[in-house]
Amino acid sequence: MKLPYLYIKIILVAFAFLCMTSCEDKDLNETSSRTKVALREAGNQLLLRKLDSSSLILPIKEITSNTYKISFDKPISFEPNDIVTVIDSSLNLANLSKNYRVEVVQCADGEVAYSYQIDVEEEQTIIPCAGRNLPEACYTIQIKFLDIVPSSTFRKKHIPFLLLFGIFLFIGFKYWFRRKLEPVSEEKNSNYSSIGSFQFYPEQHKLVKSATEISLSKKECELLEIFVANPNQVIKRDELTKKVWEDNGVFVGRSLDTYISKLRKILKDDNAVRITNVHGVGYKLEVD
């Protein structure tokens, strides 16, 4: 009876998926309309910040289902800070995606004069120096939403995706069922390092203190793992940023200091453990 029941579950999930995607066009049209309104308001606010009440905002163009373009009928100059602030405010008011990339493109040659990327994950946000004003010229502003899949691409991969979904669901269920039958390995659960009164499980991204589990983010775990391997030793800032960020994308501003602060708050319950700042050099995990 178990296998037929599993197949029924797969069919029901696939059917539900098809029902949800049947409403996709309507949802996309609604999102597109709200996006255009929000971007037109962003263009209006940019003009008002330049005390320009005569220039017109041309119709907002939807280049693809996840990319839009703001155009103006006259040359205009921009302050990058204004672009970042105004677009973020307009998109938030319209309750739109918070993962997007903005490019200010020169009409004359199509080159990107200024760009930045916003992401809900702080370490993925990239905002270059915004203090240099863009001179008056013809520009368009292109906004690409990074978590929206173009509908045409989705349609082409619709059926294969469903098939793969069913296969992976079946394999995943079998794997889960088999794992439930396996005895819990004490060796796995004992793979931890002691930090004062804490037990640090790097593979599970968690700290345990008095039977209380504290979840750690990936980067918090990576930083703490480096400190645990070098207790009471000064670790240079450059070494920390290289090991944690260099191979995983762009290092943004004061990300290291932010994560160090988070670790300090987590470890503050144990007076025998602390992360200290060695001015001009780096940080040290002190364990009494």
Side-chain angles (χ1 to χ4, degrees), residues 104-217:
V104 181
V105 181
Q106 299 172 162
C107 301
D109 53 11
E111 293 292 328
V112 177
Y114 180 73
S115 63
Y116 65 94
Q117 179 171 313
I118 299 294
D119 197 290
V120 290
E121 297 291 338
E122 180 186 351
E123 61 265 30
Q124 298 299 325
T125 292
I126 307 170
I127 303 179
C129 178
R132 300 174 184 173
N133 293 351
L134 301 180
E136 184 170 282
C138 175
Y139 298 102
T140 62
I141 303 175
Q142 295 186 13
I143 299 91
K144 181 175 183 179
F145 296 98
L146 303 178
D147 53 1
I148 299 176
V149 179
S151 58
S152 59
T153 303
F154 180 82
R155 294 290 186 185
K156 291 177 182 177
K157 297 181 179 179
H158 196 181
I159 295 177
F161 178 83
L162 280 177
L163 292 174
L164 287 174
F165 178 78
I167 292 170
F168 284 124
L169 182 63
F170 177 74
I171 295 173
F173 184 85
K174 287 188 68 177
Y175 175 76
W176 172 80
F177 187 77
R178 185 177 61 189
R179 287 290 301 273
K180 284 198 69 175
L181 298 179
E182 291 178 355
V184 177
S185 172
E186 292 297 330
E187 184 178 350
K188 281 186 179 180
N189 290 332
S190 63
N191 186 21
Y192 67 88
S193 300
S194 294
I195 313 172
S197 59
F198 292 94
Q199 293 177 339
F200 175 42
Y201 295 81
E203 293 180 1
Q204 300 176 42
H205 289 198
K206 70 178 182 180
L207 280 171
V208 176
K209 183 176 187 292
S210 301
T212 300
E213 291 191 4
I214 305 168
S215 296
L216 301 174
S217 70

Side-chain angles (χ1 to χ4, degrees), residues 3 91 124 149 236:
L3 281 179
L91 295 182
Q124 298 299 325
V149 179
K236 294 182 178 179

Side-chain angles (χ1 to χ4, degrees), residues 227 230-236 239 276 278 281-285:
F227 283 125
N230 303 275
N232 298 309
Q233 297 181 37
V234 177
I235 306 174
K236 294 182 178 179
E239 182 180 348
T276 58
V278 182
V281 181
Y283 294 94
K284 177 169 64 172
L285 175 66

